[in-house]
Amino acid sequence: MPATVRFALLATAASFALAACKKDADLAPPEQVVPLRVGHTWEYTRYQYNADGRITDSTTVVRSVRRDTALAGSTWYILSDGSIVQNGPQGYLRYNPGSLGHVIVYPNATYGGSPGYNYVYPTHTLWVLTSRAAAPAPVPASRQRHTATRYHIELQYLYPAQSTPLIQLADDYISPTHGLVRADLYSRSTGLLQQRLELQRFTPQP
């Protein structure tokens, strides 16, 4: 776990701070970025790739919404991996008990900027910068022909002995009806696809 989390929003920080103070649980968010309801279940296949682009390993990953809870006047959802999330005014949020109370994982269309967060670990610091595509588009080579919004994520790792950070890129594809349908992670050293998480089945609750 990071020792410190610093927030640097590459947008209007004032609007973010004001929104964080509102009790928005009873307000319909401007956009459902990820469908959230107790019992929703996602089944994925995680593929590992070598430098030649061949699959070297695959595993099944199952995620679900376990239950909901009230925090600071808002309704949040607890996932099977322990994350606490909601669709809020700025987008898909993850609860963080420190500082402003949450981080923006996937900004929605009305957010108007690209959030950036700095995580300070004992051995290094990590910047996470996220940008949203202007419009949904077909997911490349999707067997289920999903259409989703691409979130481009830049991970900047800085170690004490380095003057410039190591860059790792990722692309998450989010559908308002299915949630995360694909997550691609690229190698820091080669920039080639290193890992892919592909949705196989989404089981919603009515």
Side-chain angles (χ1 to χ4, degrees):
M1 294 296 291
T4 307
V5 182
R6 298 193 181 104
F7 300 84
L9 303 184
L10 310 182
T12 54
S15 64
F16 178 40
L18 288 173
C21 296
K22 295 179 181 178
K23 292 185 177 181
D24 54 328
D26 298 326
L27 300 176
E31 177 185 347
Q32 176 182 267
V33 179
V34 174
L36 291 173
R37 185 182 293 272
V38 175
H40 279 4
T41 302
W42 296 263
E43 183 179 323
Y44 296 93
T45 300
R46 178 182 285 135
Y47 302 98
Q48 302 288 344
Y49 294 82
N50 64 12
D52 297 327
R54 292 179 296 177
I55 296 174
T56 60
D57 188 29
S58 65
T59 56
T60 298
V61 177
V62 178
R63 296 175 180 171
S64 63
V65 180
R66 291 284 177 83
R67 62 186 179 90
D68 57 16
T69 187
L71 293 169
S74 293
T75 299
W76 294 78
Y77 295 88
I78 300 177
L79 306 185
S80 53
D81 64 0
S83 300
I84 304 174
V85 297
Q86 72 169 197
N87 288 299
Q90 301 98 4
Y92 183 68
L93 313 177
R94 184 175 68 246
Y95 182 75
N96 180 16
S99 192
L100 293 177
H102 65 257
V103 297
I104 305 170
V105 182
Y106 303 123
N108 59 26
T110 62
Y111 177 68
S114 299
Y117 297 95
N118 181 222
Y119 298 84
V120 181
Y121 294 87
T123 58
H124 65 282
T125 62
L126 169 64
W127 274 99
V128 180
L129 310 174
T130 303
S131 59
R132 174 190 169 115
V139 177
S142 171
R143 294 181 179 179
Q144 300 185 26
R145 299 183 179 180
H146 286 296
T147 295
T149 299
R150 181 174 71 95
Y151 288 86
H152 183 66
I153 303 165
E154 182 173 309
L155 308 168
Q156 299 182 3
Y157 297 85
L158 185 62
Y159 296 87
Q162 298 173 322
S163 58
T164 57
L166 298 174
I167 306 297
Q168 186 168 31
L169 302 178
D171 289 312
D172 287 2
Y173 296 84
I174 307 296
S175 160
T177 58
H178 290 72
L180 177 68
V181 297
R182 176 183 291 173
D184 287 341
L185 181 68
Y186 301 92
S187 169
R188 287 194 295 185
S189 57
T190 66
L192 299 175
L193 182 62
Q194 174 180 309
Q195 180 180 281
R196 169 168 288 174
L197 191 69
E198 191 87 47
L199 180 66
Q200 303 299 331
R201 183 179 298 106
F202 171 53
T203 306
Q205 290 299 308

